Amino acid sequence: MKHLIARLEPVIWALFGGGFFVGCLLMPAFIFMLCIAAPLGWLPEGALSYERAHALAANPIGRLALFVLIVLPFWNGANHLRHFVIDLRGIRSDGVVAPACYAAALVVTGIAAVAVGKL
Amino acid sequence: MARLADPRAMSPSRPGRTRTAPPVMPPLFPARGRYRSYMLFGACCVFFLLSSLLFLRVVDALAAGPEAWDDLLRQFRHPLYLAYNVAALAGFVFTARRFFFQLFAKSQPPRIGPLPRPPLAVLPPLLGAAWVAATALIFCILWGAFP
């Protein structure tokens, strides 16, 4: 497992960098509008009604954006969590933490693909 | 085929007479000096993980129908959700500031593919402009400015 993860490091670091970009560029605006402004009623009437939100999300660009918005930040978080735990607990914890983080990221990637496909 | 390097490959088969000191963490680690912002930056990975799962829930509610969507927006009004989302927003802004304006330029190689790297002084303003443009576009789309 250790050698497999070492071989996959370039892919994992590419996903990590992509996750930083997506998370930093897009997440703040999405979180503010979707998770703060919409529930508090700060948006115009009907701006995020079900029909409009579904139409935005279900077209190919919307599906791709949502898939990227879920998957890349999760890979970023998984890799960052691995290294955060190494900083705190030492390299010995990596034998358990790295496979757990990347397995979780793989599972979330699969679930996101199915969920976005069902839109 | 070449095998992966093993960091212990060069160690002697028997320990020598001279013993190295055991590794000791720096005295300021983890919560003082520059380590504080480094560890905060690391801890923000929790927001990346949880907010991804939150967006997975948003997609699931959209796929489930209008009742599930309205129910989700109602749940987002709960003070715990609001507190988490405000904290996550602050975490993402902190991460973006550190990543775009402190780390990104320093981590670029002299050549990016076939092209030379842009001057380092240009990269942070470019990234800041891209962040403002992306944020404005998302605001306009979700505000309903575009049909």
Side-chain angles (χ1 to χ4, degrees):
Chain A
M1 181 56 80
K2 198 170 74 177
H3 286 286
L4 177 66
I5 289 175
R7 270 172 197 270
L8 291 175
E9 286 276 335
V11 179
I12 292 168
W13 279 87
L15 291 168
F16 177 67
F20 260 134
F21 248 100
V22 169
C24 295
L25 265 184
L26 308 181
M27 273 288 198
F30 271 106
I31 287 176
F32 180 77
M33 295 299 271
L34 203 58
C35 304
I36 297 174
L40 292 178
W42 294 350
L43 300 186
E45 188 72 27
L48 277 181
S49 63
Y50 174 75
E51 290 74 22
R52 186 163 186 276
H54 189 267
L56 282 173
N59 72 67
I61 297 174
R63 283 174 199 245
L64 180 68
L66 281 173
F67 181 72
V68 162
L69 204 63
I70 294 167
V71 168
L72 287 183
F74 199 92
W75 275 97
N76 174 287
N79 193 45
H80 214 158
L81 181 65
R82 174 193 174 193
H83 290 277
F84 187 61
V85 174
I86 290 175
D87 283 340
L88 287 176
R89 305 289 307 270
I91 192 69
R92 283 185 189 167
S93 58
D94 197 41
V96 177
V97 173
C101 286
Y102 299 139
L106 270 177
V107 169
V108 167
T109 303
I111 293 173
V114 172
V116 169
K118 280 200 303 188
L119 278 172
Chain B
M1 192 174 159
R3 287 193 306 143
L4 288 175
D6 186 341
R8 291 160 300 180
M10 297 296 285
S11 62
S13 54
R14 277 182 298 170
R17 280 190 195 171
T18 309
R19 294 201 184 93
T20 52
V24 177
M25 293 305 282
L28 297 181
F29 185 85
R32 284 186 291 156
R34 291 187 174 188
Y35 290 111
R36 187 188 301 139
S37 72
Y38 172 76
M39 295 309 282
L40 265 178
F41 182 63
C44 282
C45 71
V46 173
F47 295 129
F48 278 70
L49 293 168
L50 293 181
S51 292
S52 299
L53 296 178
L54 209 63
F55 276 92
L56 198 55
R57 243 193 112 213
V58 168
V59 172
D60 192 44
L62 276 174
E67 291 85 18
W69 177 249
D70 291 339
D71 195 38
L72 181 75
L73 289 185
R74 205 172 304 118
Q75 285 176 23
F76 277 177
R77 262 177 240 141
H78 192 279
L80 278 179
Y81 264 118
L82 284 173
Y84 166 75
N85 283 314
V86 169
L89 184 62
F92 276 106
V93 170
F94 170 74
T95 307
R97 188 186 140 273
R98 190 173 163 102
F99 176 64
F100 285 150
F101 298 108
Q102 293 178 330
L103 296 181
F104 186 82
K106 291 177 191 166
S107 63
Q108 296 311 300
R111 296 188 71 80
I112 302 172
L115 302 172
R117 178 187 63 195
L120 288 182
V122 174
L123 285 175
L126 269 180
L127 290 167
W131 185 79
V132 169
T135 302
L137 182 67
I138 293 167
F139 268 50
C140 288
I141 291 171
L142 296 184
W143 187 268
F146 304 130

